[in-house]
Structures are given as C-alpha cells and as structure tokens.
C-alpha cells in the first residue's frame, strides 16, 4: 500500500497527557511542544491535545451491540485519524497513571486503533523525572503494536534549580525546550520512515 505521508506532508500528532491537572508539568510539556510547532521551530507537524478526562473507566458492560459510549467513540476516532502520538506520562507509584492506562485500554478494544504507528514519550517529575512510567508505557506498546522512538529520551526533574516551569506549569527552561524539539524531530522522522516502508 502506498503511504499517505510524504516528507512534505503535515504529520498529525495526537498528544495525550496522563495527568488531568491543568497546571500539570507534564501537560506543560505538551503545551510547549505545541508552541514549538506553531512558531515553526519544528516544521511539518500539527499537534492536537486530546483530553482524556471525559472517558469513563473501562467497563466492557458499556459496550452495547458493538458500540462504545460516545466519549470513547470520539476518542478512538481521534486516535485513528492521527499519524503518530506524543505521550506526556507522569509517574505514579513507579507506573503510569490510571487515566492514561484507561485511555490506552479503551483505544485498544477491537479493533486496536493504536496499531502500527510511531510514538514518543516525555515526562517530568521528581528524582528520575518520570522515567519509570515510560518503561511501563513501552511495555504496553509492545502488545499495542506501537513503535516508540528510542532516542532521544526525555526525562525532566521538575524540581531542580533553576526552575523548569512557571507557576502555571509552563515550561520555561530553554535547554529542556531544545531537548523537546529534538524529540519532536525524531518522532517526525520515524513517522515518515514507518509510512514509507
């Protein structure tokens, strides 16, 4: 099958944050990624933030006659129409958050709409910067047939000095923004590569 993407195509990125807080540092990473594409620091990408808060907790009793609740159907359509994914994954108890796992599971219900697409993960937090959540998410990706970029990795200790975020959770650290830019460029290149195989 001929790819729908070419190097000149605009890549549609679905951005999903595992934290539901508006001032979340991880959500701030997504806002910064969107800024990088809108101000042309990263070209050829359009990032759409997808709010996962309306999703009900996974319960297959909600699947009636092969149909999902409307919020789930809308979410699944957004995932299906995207070329690749950017996950901002905070770490809770050495793992991914419940809202993020819930979203992953809803979109994996038959037919799995994650399959055979590229993805990248960024995270901010204390200590290891959310890194353990990334390993758990990568494990899920194996079953989902998601293809995560391996390098560059992006873990950010949000509590080191100087401050990495402002009071509203916006990324202000210039070095971190450059690292985020590298992640987006790698995601773009890998997405084009997968679609031109």
């Amino acid at each position: 099958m001929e790819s729908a993407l070419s190097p000149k195509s605009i890549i549609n990125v679905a951005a999903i944050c595992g934290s539901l807080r508006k001032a979340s540092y991880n959500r701030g990473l997504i806002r910064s990624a969107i800024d990088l594409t809108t101000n042309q620091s990263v070209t050829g990408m359009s990032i759409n933030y997808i709010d996962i808060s309306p999703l009900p907790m996974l319960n297959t009793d909600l699947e009636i006659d092969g149909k999902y609740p409307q919020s789930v159907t809308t979410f699944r359509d957004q995932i299906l129409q995207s070329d690749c994914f950017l996950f901002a994954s905070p770490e809770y108890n050495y793992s991914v958050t419940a809202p993020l796992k819930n979203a992953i599971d809803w979109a994996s219900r038959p037919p799995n709409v994650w399959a055979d697409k590229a993805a990248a993960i960024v995270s901010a937090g204390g200590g290891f910067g959310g890194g353990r959540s990334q390993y758990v998410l990568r494990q899920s990706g194996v079953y989902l047939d998601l293809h995560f970029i391996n390098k560059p990795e992006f873990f950010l200790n949000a509590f080191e000095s100087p401050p990495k975020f402002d009071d509203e959770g916006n990324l202000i650290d210039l070095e971190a923004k450059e690292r985020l830019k590298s992640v987006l460029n790698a995601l773009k290149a890998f997405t084009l590569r997968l679609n031109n195989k």
Side-chain angles (χ1 to χ4, degrees):
M1 179 189 300
E2 190 172 337
S3 168
L5 289 178
S6 71
K8 293 183 180 179
S9 296
I10 297 294
I11 295 171
N12 294 312
V13 185
I16 300 165
C17 181
S19 175
L20 304 184
R21 286 193 322 110
K22 290 183 180 178
S24 153
Y25 293 151
N26 285 276
R27 198 158 167 187
L29 293 177
I30 288 178
R31 284 194 299 273
S32 186
I34 291 171
D35 287 345
L36 287 170
T37 58
T38 55
N39 72 17
Q40 299 298 303
S41 293
V42 177
T43 60
M45 301 183 94
S46 175
I47 301 178
N48 178 37
Y49 168 69
I50 298 179
D51 183 8
I52 60 174
S53 63
L55 296 173
M57 289 301 294
L58 182 69
N59 178 354
T60 54
D61 287 344
L62 299 176
E63 299 176 27
I64 301 169
D65 297 327
K67 294 184 178 180
Y68 299 101
Q70 186 55 54
S71 61
V72 174
T73 298
T74 299
F75 174 68
R76 287 173 56 85
D77 287 345
Q78 290 173 308
I79 296 303
L80 187 61
Q81 292 165 14
S82 300
D83 298 314
C84 61
F85 311 106
L86 176 65
F87 292 96
S89 183
E91 180 182 321
Y92 286 14
N93 300 319
Y94 281 23
S95 188
V96 296
T97 64
L100 180 55
K101 184 62 167 64
N102 186 56
I104 287 168
D105 291 345
W106 270 124
S108 73
R109 297 293 298 156
N112 170 25
V113 293
W114 299 111
D116 209 26
K117 293 184 180 180
I121 317 171
V122 295
S123 59
F128 192 22
R132 294 181 188 90
S133 73
Q134 294 197 22
Y135 298 146
V136 173
L137 185 51
R138 285 177 180 274
Q139 283 183 308
S140 293
V142 172
Y143 183 78
L144 299 171
D145 199 22
L146 266 174
H147 306 293
F148 285 104
I149 65 168
N150 292 320
K151 299 287 174 67
E153 295 180 304
F154 187 104
F155 316 113
L156 181 63
N157 188 326
F159 306 105
E160 287 182 333
S161 292
K164 305 295 187 282
F165 296 87
D166 64 19
D167 292 339
E168 295 179 349
N170 296 306
L171 183 65
I172 57 174
D173 185 83
L174 296 180
E175 181 183 354
K177 287 185 179 184
E178 284 300 310
R179 291 173 53 210
L180 184 57
K181 181 178 173 181
S182 296
V183 169
L184 294 176
N185 281 319
L187 177 60
K188 178 174 73 171
F190 193 34
T191 302
L192 290 170
R193 180 176 151 199
L194 281 178
N195 281 273
N196 286 284
K197 56 189 175 183

